[in-house]
Amino acid sequence: MSVLLVLLFLSLATVNINEGCIESERQALFMFKHDVTDGANRLSSWSLHHGHGDCCQWDGVVCDNVTAHVLELHLANPRPLLDDYGSDAENEATERSKLRGKINPSLLNLTHLSYLNLSQNGFGGIPIPDFIGCIESLRHLDLSKAGFGGLVPNQLGNLSSLEYLNLRADIGDNLYATDLQWLSGLSLIEHLDLSAVDLAQASNWLQVLNTLPFLKNLYLSGCKLPQVPPPTHINLSSLAILDLSLNDIENSLGGSIFHGLVNMTSLRHLDLSNNLFNSSIPESLYSLDSLQFLNLGSNKFRGKLSSAMGNMTSAIDLDLSDNELEGPIPITMGNLCNLKSIVFSELNLNQDVSTILTVLSGCVSNQLDKLDLSGCHLSGQLTNQLRNFKSLKELHLSGNSVSGPIPISIGELSSLRVLELDQNQLKGQLPSSIGKLTNLEILDISTNLLEGVVSKTYIGNLPKLKVFQASKNSFVLRVSPDWIPPFEIELLGLRSWNVGSMFPLWLHSQKHLRYLDISGSRISDSLPSWLWNFSSPFQYLNLSHNQIHGQIPGIPWTMSVDSVIDLSFNLLNMSNNNFSGSLSPLLCYKLKETMGTVILNLGGNVLFGGIPDCWLNWQNLQVIKLSNNRLNGSIPSSMGTLQSIVSLHLQKNHLSGEIPLSLNNCTDLILLDAGENELHGSIPRWIGDSLRKLVVLSLRSNKFSGYIPDELCTIGSLQVLDLADNNIIGSIPRCVSKFRAMANFNGSMGTAISYVIGAGTFVATIVMKGQMLEYGTNLNLVRSIDLSNNKLSGEIPVEVTSLFELKTLNLSHNLLSGTIPDRIGELRSLESIDFSVNKFSGSIPESMSYLTFLSHLNLSFNNLSGVIPSSTQLQSFDSSCYEGNQLCGLPVPNMCPENGTIHGVGHGGGNDNENETDRFWFGLVVGFVISFWSVFGPLVFDKRWRSIYTLFGSQTNVENH
């Protein structure tokens, strides 16, 4: 009988092997394939045609060798996630290889399925199917970054055999859970990853986790974990990995976590980075003997680095970066012989770099792969101790005050892949031994004091180099015109170098170049046509501040999203082409393709002709700078389609016509400067109705007429209003008091304006104190109204005196009358007043003596009379500031006798004049002492005001590059 059973079993097994997989399971898989979109044909082997019928041979399918039941489905996206330097083609291929569509319930027919991996696909925000919770045979379920969204189904709690669950989401997936009670059904779970799943409403998260006795790996990064009120008990003693990063955890919960860590004797990996801890680091943390990976970065931990750190003898990776911790690095760190990575960036170590290298030069230097001490307030010089770090692959020392030369011994670090020494005070020449670092991929020595000749000896033997940042040094590049580098560079910064007068021909060989900055590099050549033939479009191109001349060739501006182009301050000319308007080759190259360019800077050239009307395909533009050219014609209406635009610079051209109504669609505009053109018509009312985010509005030096519309007052964010040099009539609107930004200082700029300023091309050109000045990062300190050289009439509305943060007020060369408001002295921030050439009468208000910041004043050629009030400022101005009036008292030569009759000097009363002079000098000294301490006292004793004043002082005239 037993022999018959054996024969029957072998017969059945033979049938399964011969026939392949089980028919019902084959059909189930084929139905699954039918419902997914497979852009890369990854499932092409899943076919019922002859020769493909055995589903156990299909890609991604694993069957039991005996029963032929489907056991595993490996359907993760096979293409790895790419870094920031991945080409557009590579990124497109990754997207194309993602499975999309929906998940067919036919998977329920795979009754022996124990492994299901759908990670890194793109299911477009559909919910995780409830029926997955009914595949009770599952032991491994990976749905990470697969594009699932919505509520995590409670049915997953039915998977009682599950040992591995990964639901890690991407930020935009909107995957969330409101109650984690279902997790208690996963009693065998060992690996749980819910990173980026929104658990803000899951208040029972810690209570449930305490019920999982076999849990070893727990990832809850970026889950918006709710705070659990103390006392909180943590019973996760079996944990080997704990990741609670990116959760804004505060001390109340943090204390419980650190208390619970004492019992986690098997803990190897702890990540509490990017939270809100603001205590000292508990000493007990350093007693975890098994801890290998510790990341406490980006918190607010404070206090000195503890010598107890030397007890972490198992430590391999240590990250304490971006905290308020202070040095020095303890000597005991020299005991951590297993360390491979030290990341202490942005700590206040305040230490000599050579001392740190001495501490680490023992057994630590033998294993260390990565050392990051950037932004740590380091001083001193690099020494030949560097040669001890033979295993070092990454060295980050940027943003310190390290001085002296780069030591020759740097060339002995043959394993080095990343070397960042930027933003220091390094001097001397680049050592030729740099050329021995044949594994180097990233080299950043920018913003130092380095100099000398750089030839192919230095960079010609670096075949793996992808990033070379060496801007803001004084190097001279000397290579032969036919040199072909051995590397394929992707990011190259040679700003402020002397690369020679010819455009560097060797760049032609760099087909993957995406970031290029050779601004201010003394090029006096024309633009080569091959510059636009690279395999990937530029993300950043800066050729500004050279002497590049001639025409810009036809450019394939299929730029990638967020790209920046800067050709400003050259001698480029786009005339004499076959297109209408001189900018057409650039803007109208491919009308059916959307350009990704974000910043377009062509200012400061000699472009002429009209601005072409083809902006529809430039929808990603945020900054347009066409200023300081010779462009003529009208502003094209298609500019109004640029709804992402935040900064539009058209000043100093020959533009005419009216401002097109279509610009009212550009509701995110922060800066609109169309000054110094020939625009006419009335100032549009819709500017106030639609452009509510404006910070700077400059229409100066045009031919505008009509009234100042009251609607402008609705722009509460406005800091600079310049309508000078036009033909505007009527009165100054009383509603100016609604300019909130001129009345209150909020201390910070909005996100959008901060972004464009950070891009380096945002500069607001503003007339201040009679000078044309440029403002970038310090724009937030500027508050200015300039209505000069118009035909305004009536009085100055008293509402102007509510603009307490106003620094410049210019109403000169108008027909204004009445008296200067008595409350003018309440504008204590005023630095410049110009009321000259009007019809003001009456006396100068006594309150003007309160304007202690006033450094520019012009009241000349009005009908003012009476005594000039006494103050340090008012008497310190030249008498020409008051001429053309009936004023008396210093500094004008007319005395003010007691009988009220004004006498000129030399008409008698010499003693009175001497007394007047004595009183003036006495008042000047007393006023100076009071004013000096009222201005500089806060700077001496108040750090905040000292910082603000320093920033404000950074304003300059038009900057040289």
Side-chain angles (χ1 to χ4, degrees), residues 652-756:
K652 289 191 177 180
N653 281 289
H654 303 294
L655 299 173
S656 56
E658 298 186 356
I659 298 178
L661 174 62
S662 61
L663 285 184
N664 71 345
N665 297 316
C666 305
T667 54
D668 286 332
L669 263 178
I670 292 171
L671 182 148
L672 174 58
D673 192 343
E676 299 183 64
N677 282 288
E678 299 170 19
L679 300 169
H680 59 78
S682 59
I683 296 173
R685 295 179 180 275
W686 54 259
I687 290 181
D689 292 331
S690 302
L691 309 184
R692 297 292 184 88
K693 298 180 182 179
L694 275 178
V695 174
V696 177
L697 175 61
S698 178
L699 303 176
R700 70 177 294 115
S701 300
N702 279 285
K703 298 178 180 180
F704 289 108
S705 56
Y707 300 90
I708 299 175
D710 286 348
E711 285 79 0
L712 289 186
C713 298
T714 62
I715 311 176
S717 57
L718 201 63
Q719 294 177 201
V720 177
L721 175 61
D722 191 344
L723 305 179
D725 299 315
N726 282 287
N727 297 310
I728 301 171
I729 62 174
S731 59
I732 300 172
R734 290 190 169 281
C735 58
V736 293
S737 59
K738 295 181 180 179
F739 291 143
R740 296 190 306 274
M742 298 189 192
N744 301 296
F745 181 74
N746 60 14
S748 63
M749 291 177 281
T751 302
I753 191 171
S754 297
Y755 167 76
V756 294

Side-chain angles (χ1 to χ4, degrees), residues 31 35 185 228 405 459 470 520 549 652 768 826 838:
M31 292 172 67
D35 278 1
V228 179
I459 56 177
H549 55 81
K652 289 191 177 180
M768 296 281 285
E826 295 183 14
N838 277 287

Side-chain angles (χ1 to χ4, degrees), residues 131-308:
F131 68 79
I132 289 182
C134 298
I135 309 177
E136 296 182 357
S137 55
L138 278 176
R139 293 199 301 271
H140 184 112
L141 177 60
D142 191 344
L143 305 179
S144 61
K145 296 191 175 184
F148 292 111
L151 182 66
V152 176
N154 294 337
Q155 288 84 348
L156 294 183
N158 298 328
L159 303 176
S160 57
S161 300
L162 207 61
E163 299 172 2
Y164 181 104
L165 176 61
N166 191 345
L167 303 181
R168 179 183 289 260
D170 271 324
I171 295 175
D173 290 341
N174 297 318
L175 191 63
Y176 67 95
T178 57
D179 188 339
L180 292 183
Q181 190 58 47
W182 56 271
L183 273 176
S184 60
L186 309 182
S187 58
L188 300 179
I189 197 76
E190 295 182 3
H191 181 106
L192 177 61
D193 191 342
L194 300 179
S195 296
V197 177
D198 189 342
L199 303 180
Q201 303 301 317
S203 58
N204 62 345
W205 66 274
L206 189 52
Q207 175 187 350
V208 173
L209 291 175
N210 279 334
T211 67
L212 305 177
F214 299 108
L215 191 61
K216 294 180 180 178
N217 305 330
L218 176 59
Y219 297 88
L220 296 178
S221 176
C223 289
K224 303 179 183 177
L225 292 176
Q227 301 295 318
V228 179
T232 301
H233 176 64
I234 297 180
N235 181 25
L236 297 170
S237 57
S238 60
L239 277 183
I241 297 176
L242 176 60
D243 184 351
L244 299 178
S245 60
L246 289 161
N247 277 298
D248 291 344
I249 296 174
E250 298 177 353
N251 282 347
S252 56
L253 175 58
S256 300
I257 291 172
F258 285 123
H259 181 73
L261 289 175
V262 177
N263 299 320
M264 300 181 193
T265 54
S266 301
L267 195 65
R268 293 182 287 103
H269 179 121
L270 176 62
D271 191 344
L272 298 177
S273 62
N274 290 279
N275 282 293
L276 299 176
F277 297 106
N278 62 358
S279 63
S280 58
I281 299 175
E283 296 280 315
S284 58
L285 187 60
Y286 301 128
S287 64
L288 296 175
D289 296 337
S290 59
L291 200 60
Q292 297 176 349
F293 178 100
L294 175 63
N295 190 347
L296 303 180
S298 298
N299 279 283
K300 295 182 180 179
F301 286 113
R302 58 180 186 268
K304 288 189 175 295
L305 295 176
S306 173
S307 60

Side-chain angles (χ1 to χ4, degrees), residues 523-588:
I523 297 173
S524 57
D525 198 1
S526 59
L527 276 178
S529 58
W530 53 257
L531 187 61
W532 321 110
N533 295 331
F534 293 109
S535 58
S536 298
F538 283 111
Q539 288 183 338
Y540 182 92
L541 175 63
N542 191 344
L543 307 180
S544 67
H545 294 84
N546 282 291
Q547 297 294 314
I548 299 174
H549 55 81
Q551 296 188 6
I552 298 179
I555 301 171
W557 290 95
T558 50
M559 303 287 283
S560 58
V561 175
D562 294 334
S563 60
V564 174
I565 190 79
D566 191 346
L567 303 178
S568 62
F569 296 97
N570 281 288
L571 302 174
L572 295 169
N573 191 327
M574 285 183 159
S575 62
N576 303 319
N577 55 67
N578 297 323
F579 299 89
S580 61
S582 58
L583 280 171
S584 292
L586 172 62
L587 300 178
C588 310

